[in-house]
Amino acid sequence: MQLDTSFLQDLIGSITERGRDLVGLTWGQEGRGEEQKARPDLVALSEALLTRRGEASGVALAAAIIGGYFDASEDDRVAWLETLAERFGPDGQRLAAAARAYLATGTAEAAAELSEASEPRRQELIRRLNLAPGGTAALVGMRAGLIRHLKSHPRLAPLDVDFRHLFSSWFNRGFLVLRRIDWTTPANILAKIIQYEAVHTIQSWDDLRARLEPPDRRCYAFFHPQLVDDPLIFVEVALTRDIPASIAPLLRIEREVTRPADATTAVFYSISNCQAGLRGVSFGNFLIKQVVEELKRDLPGLKTFVTLSPVPGLTRWLSAELKAEASGAHSPEQLAVAAPLVAGQWQGAGADATKAAVLRTLAARYLMMARTAGGRPVDEVARFHLGNGARLERINVDGDLSAKGLAQAGGVMVNYLYDLATIEANHEAHVDRGEVAASPEVRALLAPPATTTRTRLALPAAARKPR
Amino acid sequence: MQLDTSFLQDLIGSITERGRDLVGLTWGQEGRGEEQKARPDLVALSEALLTRRGEASGVALAAAIIGGYFDASEDDRVAWLETLAERFGPDGQRLAAAARAYLATGTAEAAAELSEASEPRRQELIRRLNLAPGGTAALVGMRAGLIRHLKSHPRLAPLDVDFRHLFSSWFNRGFLVLRRIDWTTPANILAKIIQYEAVHTIQSWDDLRARLEPPDRRCYAFFHPQLVDDPLIFVEVALTRDIPASIAPLLRIEREVTRPADATTAVFYSISNCQAGLRGVSFGNFLIKQVVEELKRDLPGLKTFVTLSPVPGLTRWLSAELKAEASGAHSPEQLAVAAPLVAGQWQGAGADATKAAVLRTLAARYLMMARTAGGRPVDEVARFHLGNGARLERINVDGDLSAKGLAQAGGVMVNYLYDLATIEANHEAHVDRGEVAASPEVRALLAPPATTTRTRLALPAAARKPR
Amino acid sequence: MQLDTSFLQDLIGSITERGRDLVGLTWGQEGRGEEQKARPDLVALSEALLTRRGEASGVALAAAIIGGYFDASEDDRVAWLETLAERFGPDGQRLAAAARAYLATGTAEAAAELSEASEPRRQELIRRLNLAPGGTAALVGMRAGLIRHLKSHPRLAPLDVDFRHLFSSWFNRGFLVLRRIDWTTPANILAKIIQYEAVHTIQSWDDLRARLEPPDRRCYAFFHPQLVDDPLIFVEVALTRDIPASIAPLLRIEREVTRPADATTAVFYSISNCQAGLRGVSFGNFLIKQVVEELKRDLPGLKTFVTLSPVPGLTRWLSAELKAEASGAHSPEQLAVAAPLVAGQWQGAGADATKAAVLRTLAARYLMMARTAGGRPVDEVARFHLGNGARLERINVDGDLSAKGLAQAGGVMVNYLYDLATIEANHEAHVDRGEVAASPEVRALLAPPATTTRTRLALPAAARKPR
Amino acid sequence: MQLDTSFLQDLIGSITERGRDLVGLTWGQEGRGEEQKARPDLVALSEALLTRRGEASGVALAAAIIGGYFDASEDDRVAWLETLAERFGPDGQRLAAAARAYLATGTAEAAAELSEASEPRRQELIRRLNLAPGGTAALVGMRAGLIRHLKSHPRLAPLDVDFRHLFSSWFNRGFLVLRRIDWTTPANILAKIIQYEAVHTIQSWDDLRARLEPPDRRCYAFFHPQLVDDPLIFVEVALTRDIPASIAPLLRIEREVTRPADATTAVFYSISNCQAGLRGVSFGNFLIKQVVEELKRDLPGLKTFVTLSPVPGLTRWLSAELKAEASGAHSPEQLAVAAPLVAGQWQGAGADATKAAVLRTLAARYLMMARTAGGRPVDEVARFHLGNGARLERINVDGDLSAKGLAQAGGVMVNYLYDLATIEANHEAHVDRGEVAASPEVRALLAPPATTTRTRLALPAAARKPR
């Protein structure tokens, strides 16, 4: 999940050249001969872009700044970003006056002035940088860089907030375009699908072809009109006759193909975000729901919409549970299954039904009971789908016996069910009351108190308040 | 310059239908039979869209609100808009706390919280309404309606500020697409060109064809990807061998065509904004500059880029000057020419060179000296082009002898010159010091003080300070 | 139904220029100054194109010939065409030898050689002319010219045979593309629809829009990939709730629109061939059948596919019948109705049911009994639809009270029914046995012998053999 | 160079299904249960398609025949093809009568009738088969099958002649579309490029990308509108700063890229025909010439257009020369170089300039003197380029040290120069007089008689007459 730097470099190259032609600027440093390239003073250019010169020559200035940024060393880039974070905030005097006025009067006008006065100048700067040809892609790339430095340079945080604020508006779902990806899609876009796939690595072009070309496979992506060759997020779908319990048969290149008209089930088996620079701007929820609608329209025979998902945090959680065994939360038999799994000595439950049952129970506890400080599921994939209103439908032991699958979850995979009729209620119950929607089968896995009449599990009180 | 309501109605119709299918809402009022259509409670839906339900069912809720709005009576629409303006502002308590915290600490974090706390909830509502299919077009249509009521319902003003704020971001030039309009353009778009043309009415499809099809004519428009069939602004261009002094020969359907390779001059003879709902979001500046670049690339023989523009406020100004004749600003001879013009008894100067000279001088005074309270040119067309950094190149008596041209300016038209090399300096001098860039010929029209060495006219001190 | 000569002229202009650049030919006649343009020797160029030079420089030579042709005077064009007809036939010696060999041996090889030897060189010449950019359009234009001269220059006939032979192969339905024409179609194509409409003249762009934009209207055309902006044939369709009896309500610009989902009937109310140069290459049959399939797929509610057609030869036939009244074929009452109609004094039957019944009977006789020497219906529209296997469904008195409708048929219009289940049988019965498929109602109009059990009428023996 | 059978199978599958729905035919053989699929009587269907039923139901019949053909066993296919070849020729009686009439009268009318009478019914059948959706692709596939059987079933020959005759007309260059192939081309088309590349095998998608994406690489293909996803022929081009002597550096994936603006030379280093079914219909000549024009327009800096070509027959020829050494055509030293090469013991000349010179001379003799019975160059690549009017520019020893390159030509590669100014003269001299255009350097390689004044070599008289 990395930016396609060659694409970006090309783009930046052309922006820079263009920018240099357009603006006759005094560069920050005089070159001596060819090797020593003149470097523009990015801060001065940024100030210029925010002033009158920006109104007359905005496109050229924006191009020059973006070009200069990508030409600069990593240190110089961070320095400029930090300057933006610190010196391109709101006007302090105006803001203080507005704050006082609002406290004194409380009028709508005072609130409006306060809103305007508090907007950091960085936001207008980012909007004007977007004037450059290819500006949007460059800004997304810029934020991807910023995010890499965020931990080590915490002063960048306010700038990141501004980026996210603007990107949330610009990449509003209303501006996105859903496009089907298939074997007739341009190769440069497919190369990005290979690069961005984050769940089940695409091994080769043959592997890719096997995921796109057969009539029982689908792939959809969101695109933004300004990033026309670069998907934002995509989902891979298999059309099947029942809910699959393991991933390997779906990924096999040689396999029997189901006629789409015979399929009853659409399986979302991989969802990947593509743009590091759009972190915190969420599309996945919309993508799944719209793909469900598309598929329903195309293939009325489809009745079940379900994922086949990894459980990325299971091993990690079991490891912690083992250490805290004294808690008594799990029985010795259960811990005996967890031990080899955590130790990396687990090759799957195979024919051992008892071990499988134990692992299934442990996974159910993890997915339904383990919560973050904020009361949300610890497992990030569970958090996403349950947060969308999906229901935890089935836990599959030996669902993914690849090295990665064994390492992260002892081979366990999970189906989340997207039932449009209950999504909204599930979502509200989850967000409001911390409930987890689960099938009766999954709920039955949870210890003695067989609360069979409800399909959502109330969170233990302890987990519901932020620690 | 009116919204294409049939298009919008179609769109809204389909949104509404879809929205109704998707949301099982309690409508605000129960229908009795077919005629009495149930009406949704727009305010309740708006609250729902801003809460958790909006996260789960945002698209459906947004579609329901938009559909409900356009189904509603004009009164109900305004009522809802006013409610948004008044009750969907920021959270007062949070805002007050943030204001106090900022005044106490002055930190960047406090400023950031203040910025966030002061954002009216309306803005997030508008962003979420954009989730609906066709949402962007609907929101632009909504604001067009709002603007119509703004004078009579001043409480709508804060909502209008939010719309403009978001639209400035969404319709950032970086998101717009320049497209050439020609005789192979789809008819539905051409029908909008006919409808939106605001300067020289397009009389018929033959008239339109004559402006698009001959090789010495060009037309370009900006489009937004979400309003794919609806231009935002367009400009009509004639390629000629010299700077034209009157509009009629350009518009004539039967005329001699210039080979593009022989043309030296591109004449921007009509620029029209298309979307009432985008008032205050300016594209014209970018459009002209990009079209200049396009044309330069295509036709290297083009050396001169110039407008042929109306002077919409000349008659009005002359009328006021006549009333204030005692001011002595104009000589009796000059007033003698102005009188019939203001009285609507002017048919053009014809062969009378003296009258023509007088009128040219009066027009120069109007364009260069008459200023608004803010020190900007009174004439709106002059304000636009001079603000862009263009230069007032020539004043053409008898440039437009149509009824409209005689009524608004006694037939006077003007050429503004776009010289990329001087645009930026002109723009700065104009904005900073109120100077008007003008050719030596035009400057010479201004009374005794023959300041021949500069091509920009310093504004008389009086005009420079806001009155 | 005339070639769009401006399009062709543009095309030819560019071909010519290009051709002149590419071939350094000795023109047939030396120019003296600018006015006297050098004219290429088209015959010499044609010979060159058929030889080795054509293999090396075919594109340039083809362009030069086409350019030269369209630059030439009408007389020179005809002269060249006649030369092709007379001197670019097969090689006589080779052909005679092949004929003798075939008569001697009768082998397949001899037949093959005979086939090859008998192909006129003109055909290869036409194929090579097609190498020029825009060659196909130019050749179609060339044949349109040829056809205009065919009557006065009968020696052109063999060349016309070659054109038709090749065009039948090139414009094979397998190479055509069906495209829907609607209000989003490029204006240059719509302008051609206006120009080519041959049945119910399109009065204005508003009229056109009313035929394309409402949801209960459709228009489809066949295009050839090489004539991408120029339709070959198109059909206009109205979606209705019953079979219409008159044209005026369909063409009315202001009218109530039927929701497509409510429509039961698709009415083909106008079919126009566009290319005079493609005379004898028939597309109409394929067009109607494919449009029926398209509409069925889109709108499953459609059950009835029917035309509303003119009866162009009725008045002419009635006039002849009046002159031959002694034949006794029609009763005096019937002739009394025919007389004012033929005399141009007929304004429709109006409320006079008797007159209407008489006219209906006369029309039925005309459509079903009047035959050409070859035994086919005299009426060209009937010939087309009955030949396609459609059934004569209803005769509508006062169906078209326009001047044209009254003049050609006393206002009578006809519905032909396309029922895919019976088309093939109808077609065979028509071609093999001269039968006319007709509804019971129409058949009942034919005099005493009420043969009610069959829906096809056997042709009177006399009409069945070529006279 | 094999048909993409999966594509064809899909196509055929859908045609068959459609055809079966459309025609209610009595199949040739009744199925018993699922396994025994009913087989249509292809001959009966073919007869039906040529009669009246074909006029009414042509599309369905054509689809049924094509579907039935591809469903049939190989034996049944051949049987049907032979039936067409034998029983669908011209009507013997009519043909004999026409032959007699022509011999008696010799008129143009008689010739025309003879031409019509001699056309085999197969041609009309093929034209009507083209009515089926996907018919053109299916027919091309059909002929590819026919060609495979041609040697073993010589009775198919007349049918092959008909196919070639029609395909020459249908795939006339005027109907083809030149499209650039690059890294944004749909993957399904690129997969075909990999499959069809016949000169320098494309090893992987990375290899492909390296041939398409860098700015100094180009690839162009001809497409037919009816075979929209399937190229007919393509050429790969490298932009360089001089004429390359060996292929490896061009194909290297990691290499320095030349800026297109700096390139002076376009190197055609691979040309592949794609459709076995179009054998004998030549496009290569047109493709190269049009690509030269495209490149010239895009990159005016390009001055030299040249191939880097294999010499596929050199080893074979040297082997024959060694056996005939007594002829004295080559010196003992020369034969000493040839021996290890023919024996497969040659690894290139390396630094041995003497061996290189000898090999260069032998290659020159082969390319310029070795002729077919018809007097054309024995080497098929030479035959193509010299036949196009190119000039033999340079012989490169050690140009291709791959196993294939060493085996077929001892590593020798050749540059043919395309100089538009001399192509036509070269072509004529070659075809008329058997001359081979060669650079002075190449000509100097030919033995003592240093004919330095001419750049074309007259063929030794012996070679000029067919042996």
Side-chain angles (χ1 to χ4, degrees), chain A residues 52-53 57 424 428 432, chain B residues 52-53 57 424 428 432:
Chain A
R52 268 151 202 169
R53 292 202 43 212
S57 310
E424 192 182 319
E428 287 194 32
D432 288 352
Chain B
R52 269 155 202 164
R53 293 203 41 212
S57 311
E424 193 182 320
E428 286 193 33
D432 288 352

Side-chain angles (χ1 to χ4, degrees), chain A residues 45-70:
Chain A
L45 287 172
S46 304
E47 286 288 1
L49 184 56
L50 280 173
T51 63
R52 268 151 202 169
R53 292 202 43 212
E55 284 164 32
S57 310
V59 175
L61 279 167
I65 294 170
I66 289 173
Y69 173 84
F70 284 97

Side-chain angles (χ1 to χ4, degrees), chain D residues 119-193:
Chain D
E119 187 184 282
R121 294 194 306 144
R122 293 181 293 269
Q123 289 196 14
E124 180 63 15
L125 181 68
I126 295 172
R127 282 192 289 263
R128 291 198 180 186
L129 287 172
N130 195 48
L131 296 174
T136 313
L139 288 167
V140 172
M142 227 175 238
R143 182 171 177 234
L146 184 158
I147 287 173
R148 278 198 303 276
H149 295 289
L150 203 47
K151 273 209 178 144
S152 54
H153 297 71
R155 293 186 305 174
L156 293 170
L159 178 58
D160 190 52
V161 169
D162 293 317
F163 267 118
R164 199 177 57 219
H165 179 80
L166 283 171
F167 286 175
S168 295
S169 190
W170 288 353
F171 290 88
N172 184 298
R173 189 265 165 279
F175 297 130
L176 306 188
V177 180
L178 184 76
R179 275 166 60 185
R180 177 151 176 214
I181 303 289
D182 61 22
W183 190 236
T184 69
T185 297
N188 60 330
I189 293 177
L190 294 186
K192 285 184 181 136
I193 295 291

Side-chain angles (χ1 to χ4, degrees), chain A residues 384-398:
Chain A
F384 173 72
H385 291 300
L386 296 172
N388 288 344
R391 172 172 111 158
L392 178 53
E393 188 65 10
R394 200 170 73 192
I395 293 169
N396 305 294
V397 170
D398 294 356

Side-chain angles (χ1 to χ4, degrees), chain C residues 87-103:
Chain C
R87 286 180 22 209
F88 284 71
D91 173 338
Q93 288 197 309
R94 179 181 170 194
L95 183 52
R100 276 189 294 268
Y102 177 73
L103 289 173

